[in-house]
Amino acid sequence: MSDRKVTYLEAISQAIREEMLRDDAVFLLGEDVGSYGGAFKVSAGLLSEFGADRVIDTPMSEAAIIGSAVGSALMGMRPIAEMQFIDFITCGFDQIINMASKMYWRVGMPVPMVVRGPSGGGTKGGPFHSTSPEAWFFHAPGIKVVVPSTTYDAKGLLKAAIRDNNPVLYLEHKLLYRLPELREELPSEDYVVPLGKAIVRREGEDMTILTYGAMVHQCLKAAQKLEEDDDLEVEVLDLRSLAPLDREAITESVKRTNKVLIVHEDTLTGGIGAELSAILAQDLFEYLDGPITRVAAPDAPFPYAPALEAAYLPNADKILSAARELAAY
């Protein structure tokens, strides 16, 4: 282990630097990633270490950034394309959906690229800087979707994503970037966290909570409260990877607990929870002792006013209420 605790943000920066040192084909491109060091300082210091050929400041055009990444990946490079805020990935939607995700099926060529950037709310960023876009891409075959919740995973999953021969969407929740309680010592040796593998963050027998990203921590708070006040042992399964989805881990947990609560920050309708609900209803119906329950954001644009943002976002109290109702069923 290293002798210093690092933040979630520093873990991401370490992963990029180490992969650039390991493989000359890896490079970073995006708005202000060079001399400015990135909007959140993820890439601080990389320009001086690797030069302008491998840390490339781009015009303010997500379509150009992602399109350039697709082309360079097809030519054998391994680009890491940063979206300054993940909301603006919509400007490069065509390049991801019609080019990156379909290219292997069209011509049999791998497209080893990562599109990464800050997502999610809780930082009073308003409707244009708080998006959780995972469901849009979860729906598209050919692209992997990864959402780390811990510092260890932030580094290990990004390294795995960079080495993967498929396009990977890597979502960093900006609320977690410098969260003090997420600081941890990371292994000094090289490691990866495999894509497509969930992890049990808390074991339990009375209910399974399926979640990912920043909501993992809200679910853990709720689970602790349920144990203290209600004598309920709730299992929290951090999906980590949404595509591919770890169905085996989901099945194993639900067969043991028989009740399922799904929690995500994204809006309710058509979110990841909808597909999870369909999987559960189709494959595990006979194991369920209660209705499949979801906690998510309402179907509305993300609000800017702090009071409205607090009311909009799922949190431990909302999870606690839903879990108690489900437990009593």
Side-chain angles (χ1 to χ4, degrees), residues 27-79:
F27 71 99
L28 177 68
L29 72 162
E31 298 162 18
D32 294 325
V33 298
S35 57
Y36 190 67
F40 293 89
K41 304 305 178 185
V42 170
S43 55
L46 295 182
L47 177 63
S48 60
E49 183 171 1
F50 295 102
D53 288 340
R54 296 185 67 195
V55 182
I56 302 172
D57 277 324
T58 68
M60 192 181 294
S61 172
E62 287 74 18
I65 295 166
I66 298 170
S68 299
V70 174
S72 60
L74 287 170
M75 294 295 102
M77 301 298 286
R78 290 185 175 271

Side-chain angles (χ1 to χ4, degrees), residues 1-328:
M1 304 291 287
S2 70
D3 57 359
R4 185 177 74 89
K5 290 186 176 182
V6 302
T7 64
Y8 181 99
L9 183 148
E10 288 173 315
I12 293 167
S13 182
Q14 283 185 12
I16 295 170
R17 179 178 180 273
E18 289 176 16
E19 290 304 297
M20 290 180 72
L21 287 169
R22 188 188 64 84
D23 186 349
D24 289 341
V26 178
F27 71 99
L28 177 68
L29 72 162
E31 298 162 18
D32 294 325
V33 298
S35 57
Y36 190 67
F40 293 89
K41 304 305 178 185
V42 170
S43 55
L46 295 182
L47 177 63
S48 60
E49 183 171 1
F50 295 102
D53 288 340
R54 296 185 67 195
V55 182
I56 302 172
D57 277 324
T58 68
M60 192 181 294
S61 172
E62 287 74 18
I65 295 166
I66 298 170
S68 299
V70 174
S72 60
L74 287 170
M75 294 295 102
M77 301 298 286
R78 290 185 175 271
I80 305 167
E82 177 178 298
M83 304 287 97
Q84 195 166 86
F85 287 88
I86 208 67
D87 309 59
F88 305 114
I89 199 171
T90 53
C91 298
F93 199 80
D94 178 62
Q95 283 74 13
I96 295 173
I97 301 302
N98 281 326
M99 297 178 193
S101 67
K102 295 178 181 176
M103 195 60 70
Y104 177 78
W105 306 98
R106 183 183 184 191
V107 296
M109 296 175 68
V111 189
M113 58 179 278
V114 176
V115 181
R116 48 159 291 269
S119 67
T123 59
K124 302 173 181 60
F128 300 109
H129 296 83
S130 306
T131 296
S132 296
E134 57 268 20
W136 302 336
F137 301 97
F138 175 76
H139 174 74
I143 182 167
K144 297 185 177 183
V145 182
V146 177
V147 193
S149 68
T150 69
T151 298
Y152 180 91
D153 283 358
K155 183 173 181 177
L157 286 169
L158 182 52
K159 289 170 78 75
I162 293 168
R163 298 178 192 185
D164 201 285
N165 281 332
N166 299 279
V168 180
L169 174 62
Y170 178 91
L171 299 175
E172 311 158 6
H173 201 293
K174 65 178 80 71
L175 191 63
L176 305 182
Y177 270 155
R178 296 181 176 88
L179 202 63
E181 52 264 44
L182 260 62
R183 288 178 175 268
E184 61 178 301
E185 293 181 14
L186 298 180
S188 53
E189 66 274 9
D190 182 47
Y191 75 93
V192 297
V193 175
L195 306 187
K197 294 293 183 183
I199 186 170
V200 175
R201 297 293 181 193
R202 181 189 176 98
E203 294 184 348
E205 300 294 332
D206 296 315
M207 180 186 306
T208 295
I209 298 181
L210 301 178
T211 189
Y212 57 90
M215 283 297 114
V216 168
H217 305 286
Q218 296 299 317
C219 291
L220 288 171
K221 289 179 185 177
Q224 180 66 33
K225 188 73 171 171
L226 287 164
E227 180 183 7
E228 294 169 356
D229 296 354
D230 302 77
D231 197 30
L232 290 170
E233 291 293 334
V234 174
E235 184 150 297
V236 178
L237 185 65
D238 180 356
L239 298 174
R240 300 199 290 193
S241 178
L242 303 179
L245 195 61
D246 190 347
R247 294 192 181 210
E248 183 178 346
I250 294 168
T251 299
E252 181 181 330
S253 181
V254 173
K255 282 185 175 181
R256 186 173 59 253
T257 67
N258 309 119
K259 289 185 177 180
V260 188
L261 175 62
I262 301 166
V263 180
H264 59 69
E265 185 177 318
D266 192 14
T267 48
L268 182 71
T269 301
I272 304 300
E275 180 61 25
L276 290 172
S277 298
I279 292 169
L280 294 165
Q282 179 174 300
D283 297 342
L284 297 164
F285 181 79
E286 65 269 30
Y287 293 95
L288 297 175
D289 290 339
I292 300 164
T293 305
R294 291 181 290 166
V295 175
D299 294 333
F302 206 99
Y304 181 75
L308 290 177
E309 182 186 59
Y312 178 91
L313 283 169
N315 57 31
D317 288 339
K318 294 175 184 178
I319 297 163
L320 195 61
S321 177
R324 284 174 172 156
E325 186 175 341
L326 177 57

